[in-house]
Amino acid sequence: MTVSISQTADFQVFGFSKDLTIFNVHDCLEQLQPVLEKRPEKVLLDLSEIEDIDTAGLQLVWWLVLQLQQQGMAKVTGADNGVVQRLLDIYQFEFPDNLE
């Protein structure tokens, strides 16, 4: 499984597996599509377990953030993960944070 989907009291949590690359972003999107169709209001995108991410993975996460912010609120966690942070630094990229 490339994405684990769980529910906490406040958030729908999308936990990404060790690899988020061009080789599995399509599978991730297919897993998430049924949940996205239900239009969740608060979503937490957890990147803390990622060990390998490329620009395709970054594009998927960015697209999810944009889609989810149109519907409600989204937050990305795990951006302090060294692998993720290096890619964000290379592209001078920051995820928006609209949750307080």
Side-chain angles (χ1 to χ4, degrees):
M1 181 182 295
T2 53
V3 179
S4 65
I5 302 168
S6 60
Q7 180 70 48
T8 66
D10 295 332
F11 292 95
Q12 185 86 42
V13 180
F14 300 163
F16 293 90
S17 66
K18 298 183 187 301
D19 296 324
L20 188 56
T21 64
I22 193 168
F23 301 108
N24 66 354
V25 292
H26 180 70
D27 294 337
C28 290
L29 184 57
E30 281 186 341
Q31 282 183 269
L32 294 172
Q33 202 63 42
V35 178
L36 295 173
E37 288 173 1
K38 294 178 183 175
R39 305 179 68 81
E41 289 186 27
K42 289 185 177 181
V43 176
L44 188 65
L45 303 173
D46 184 3
L47 309 180
S48 61
E49 297 297 318
I50 291 178
E51 293 179 5
D52 189 16
I53 185 170
D54 63 8
T55 54
L58 184 61
Q59 286 175 320
L60 174 65
V61 175
W62 178 247
W63 181 83
L64 286 168
V65 168
L66 292 178
Q67 296 301 308
L68 294 166
Q69 285 185 339
Q70 291 174 4
Q71 301 175 67
M73 293 187 280
K75 181 169 181 69
V76 177
T77 65
D80 57 344
N81 174 325
V83 173
V84 174
Q85 192 58 54
R86 275 189 298 249
L87 187 63
L88 297 176
D89 290 345
I90 288 169
Y91 289 102
Q92 299 176 350
F93 186 85
E94 291 182 20
F95 291 110
D97 184 7
N98 64 344
L99 293 181
E100 297 177 9

